[in-house]
Amino acid sequence: MDLDRSFVIREGDLRILNPFDADKLATLGRVIRLRPDDTLLDLCSGKGELLCTWARAHGVRGTGVDISTAFTTAARRRAAALGVADRVRFVHDDAAGYVHPAPVDVAACIGATWIGGGVTGTIDLLARALRPGGMLLVGEPYWRREPPDRETVAACHATVRDDFDDLPGLVGRIQGHGWDVVEMVLADQDSWDRYAAAHWLTLRRWLDAHPDDALAGSFRRELTEDPLRHVRYRREYLGWGVFALLRR
């Protein structure tokens, strides 16, 4: 059980594996009013930047779960580097089936709602780990602008237009599922650029060092095609944000 090698290579030295920069992650931790010793569960925790930086800044404790051995190892290194290894732990496991041993104050899935088959299914999955009155954090894409054609939809990682809502539709879907949206922090075009463009440099450096690797051909195509997809489609049409929820 592990993440495909191509994803590990592509994410390179990125610490935040979504179109969020460090300032936005810090803003999110601040606006949801974390308190010392709040307990967190982060499903699909990636390289652990959320838990590690919030443990340092707010004194929280938590568990991150991710299917990637490389990301889990990187998260443990990050915790040690920030001096919070006694406050956070990282588990290599399938987040979709993970059962946390005790209710937590905050349960999060930031940008991986496929684990629950979509945003409402992921809300239900996270809610199983939540104490009464606790908060959920869900990261999810949405349409910034209505996609005009199937080419735009495909370039934004969707199969059909209805794979994503627009922002009012997404908020309405969450509310209709029985939750109040009590905060949100949204990516902007600059944070999208920082996330997307970091992949391009990583891929180019990797290709220079591994020209004969089995992945070289597909990565060469990606490096040729992805910058145009990003500037033509994704940064214009696709939004992304993290939404803080409390059960009604």
Side-chain angles (χ1 to χ4, degrees), residues 181-236:
V181 177
V182 295
E183 259 294 358
M184 67 180 189
V185 179
L186 304 182
D188 54 26
Q189 287 179 313
D190 182 66
S191 55
W192 263 115
D193 292 345
R194 298 281 44 80
Y195 179 58
H199 292 104
W200 309 334
L201 182 57
T202 295
L203 290 182
R204 176 53 194 267
R205 297 296 191 220
W206 187 90
L207 283 166
D208 289 346
H210 304 87
D212 299 320
D213 192 279
L215 290 173
S218 61
F219 277 166
R220 177 66 262 176
R221 288 190 296 275
E222 182 175 340
L223 182 56
T224 301
E225 297 168 0
D226 196 69
L228 279 174
R229 276 197 299 263
H230 176 69
V231 299
R232 183 175 292 164
Y233 301 112
R234 286 197 302 266
R235 83 186 303 273
E236 296 297 327

Side-chain angles (χ1 to χ4, degrees), residues 67-120:
I67 200 170
S68 169
T69 54
F71 292 169
T72 302
T73 299
R76 290 168 182 158
R77 287 198 302 263
R78 183 64 167 155
L82 295 185
V84 295
D86 60 332
R87 306 190 69 84
V88 296
R89 71 185 187 104
F90 294 96
V91 178
H92 173 237
D93 204 345
D94 180 359
Y98 180 79
V99 179
H100 197 58
V104 296
D105 297 302
V106 180
C109 179
I110 307 300
T113 57
W114 50 265
I115 67 171
V119 65
T120 55

